[in-house]
Amino acid sequence: MAQIIDGKKVSAQVKARVADEVAALKEKGVTPGLAVIIVGDDSASQVYVRNKEKACAETGMYSEKYALPAETTQEELLNLVKELNGKKEISGILCQLPLPSHLNSDIVINAIDPIKDVDAFHPVNVGKIMIGDYAFLPCTPAGVMELIKSAGVDPEGKNCVVVGRSNIVGKPMAMLLLHKNATVTICHSKTVNLSEITKQADILVAAVGRAKFITGDMIKPGAVVIDVGMNRDENGKLCGDVDFESAEKTAGAITPVPGGVGPMTIAMLMENTLTAAKIQNANKLK
Ligand code: GUN
């Protein structure tokens, strides 16, 4: 049976570390602040936004929430982003995705000042991640790296397979593993003989968005299996991209869903907001 990697525990450790640093910054007159924008009433997004506000309170940060109606125009949203770009007490801006279909998320992301882009979605920050010279960590992939570390595994020289090539998870995930000297393969919906490749993985990251897609017979015995998925199974129960029941018999270590990668994403967001505040107040903190 595999070791279960406890994302709640690791995220609590990251948040405690961030909270200590926030307390030290406050003594120097700097309070990190996060603005979260949500447009419309998507229920999953509302839960995520509530958890982000809660994490700000837990770590001692200031937060502002902007809940805008579904019919908000692109111009209104861009005006808010511009206002927040100029607001001193806001270190980080996050616009919860997906946006209603009449709004263009690329334009909104591009409008966020890169130094306040705590999601690391702005092309400037994406480019910095590519060349390995970055201040902001892409939250979910960075959370995955923390979980791999917590399992006592160093990616250097390992075969790492990332299933999924999204801009938010798959691509930056591959980069972070590469920066740690792993041999990285990215698989996707057009990959031929997927299980032949996943079976080579010492570290397997599943980020495909399909319930229980990765089964135990696709996993190398003893592998570290990280499940980024968040889906509903046929009974409406939360489940990941990995079929946990069969996978845990083969894997050496595995993340559960819920309680694996999910809590880590928010912890890394707190870390990015702290980093943003430090950069923006570098003069005060000398
Ligand atoms: N929607 C789902 N995940 C995320 C995320 O990490 N950031 C933002 N802004 N929206 C999301």
Side-chain angles (χ1 to χ4, degrees):
M1 282 291 177
Q3 171 202 344
I4 307 298
I5 304 173
D6 185 346
K8 277 194 204 158
K9 187 170 132 198
V10 182
S11 81
Q13 289 163 355
V14 172
K15 281 190 281 187
R17 191 177 74 209
V18 170
D20 284 349
E21 278 205 60
V22 170
L25 281 197
K26 281 178 163 174
E27 290 200 354
K28 295 177 178 168
V30 174
T31 302
L34 177 67
V36 181
I37 305 170
I38 176 168
V39 186
D41 40 32
D42 179 74
S43 59
S45 290
Q46 283 176 347
V47 174
Y48 292 139
V49 166
R50 210 174 308 131
N51 288 339
K52 285 166 186 173
E53 284 186 285
K54 213 174 106 199
C56 283
E58 275 171 36
T59 51
M61 292 191 197
Y62 170 69
S63 72
E64 288 180 0
K65 176 179 156 187
Y66 294 85
L68 307 181
E71 56 277 12
T72 299
T73 66
Q74 184 87 26
E75 197 191 350
E76 285 167 336
L77 184 52
L78 288 175
N79 283 340
L80 172 59
V81 169
K82 270 183 219 153
E83 182 194 323
L84 294 170
N85 278 342
K87 201 166 177 179
K88 248 188 21 246
E89 53 273 46
I90 294 301
S91 337
I93 303 168
L94 180 144
C95 181
Q96 188 67 26
L97 303 177
L99 289 171
S101 58
H102 68 283
L103 297 171
N104 183 325
S105 56
D106 287 341
I107 295 177
V108 177
I109 290 166
N110 274 286
I112 297 174
D113 184 339
I115 207 61
K116 294 193 174 186
D117 168 40
V118 284
D119 261 326
F121 289 170
H122 190 289
V124 164
N125 289 322
V126 174
K128 284 174 177 255
I129 290 159
M130 186 81 175
I131 58 177
D133 171 26
Y134 50 94
F136 297 130
L137 308 156
C139 297
T140 300
V144 171
M145 296 304 285
E146 288 284 333
L147 291 175
I148 293 170
K149 193 162 85 181
S150 80
V153 175
D154 179 358
E156 181 161 312
K158 302 267 186 333
N159 277 335
C160 295
V161 175
V162 179
V163 189
R165 55 175 159 179
S166 70
N167 289 332
I168 293 182
V169 183
K171 287 183 205 169
M173 185 74 249
M175 281 304 130
L176 296 198
L177 288 165
L178 190 60
H179 294 327
K180 290 288 179 196
N181 300 317
T183 302
V184 186
T185 305
I186 306 178
C187 298
H188 48 79
S189 56
K190 301 288 187 287
T191 297
V192 177
N193 293 335
L194 177 66
S195 65
E196 295 308 312
I197 301 170
T198 56
K199 268 193 275 189
Q200 304 290 320
D202 302 306
I203 299 174
L204 178 62
V205 180
V208 270
R210 288 173 65 177
K212 302 183 185 179
F213 183 70
I214 303 287
T215 46
D217 56 327
M218 299 166 76
I219 295 168
K220 178 179 177 177
V224 175
V225 177
I226 308 286
D227 190 349
V228 181
M230 181 65 81
N231 315 291
R232 298 264 169 199
D233 70 8
E234 58 282 4
N235 303 314
K237 198 169 157 243
L238 269 187
C239 71
D241 291 349
V242 176
D243 176 40
F244 187 85
E245 210 178 308
S246 62
E248 73 163 338
K249 295 187 177 83
T250 314
I254 186 168
T255 60
V257 175
V261 174
M264 292 307 297
T265 300
I266 294 184
M268 303 323 286
L269 173 69
M270 296 300 106
E271 184 154 322
N272 280 348
T273 308
L274 169 67
T275 301
K278 285 200 249 179
I279 294 171
Q280 289 158 35
N281 294 281
N283 280 340
K284 255 195 203 172
L285 299 172
K286 261 188 210 148

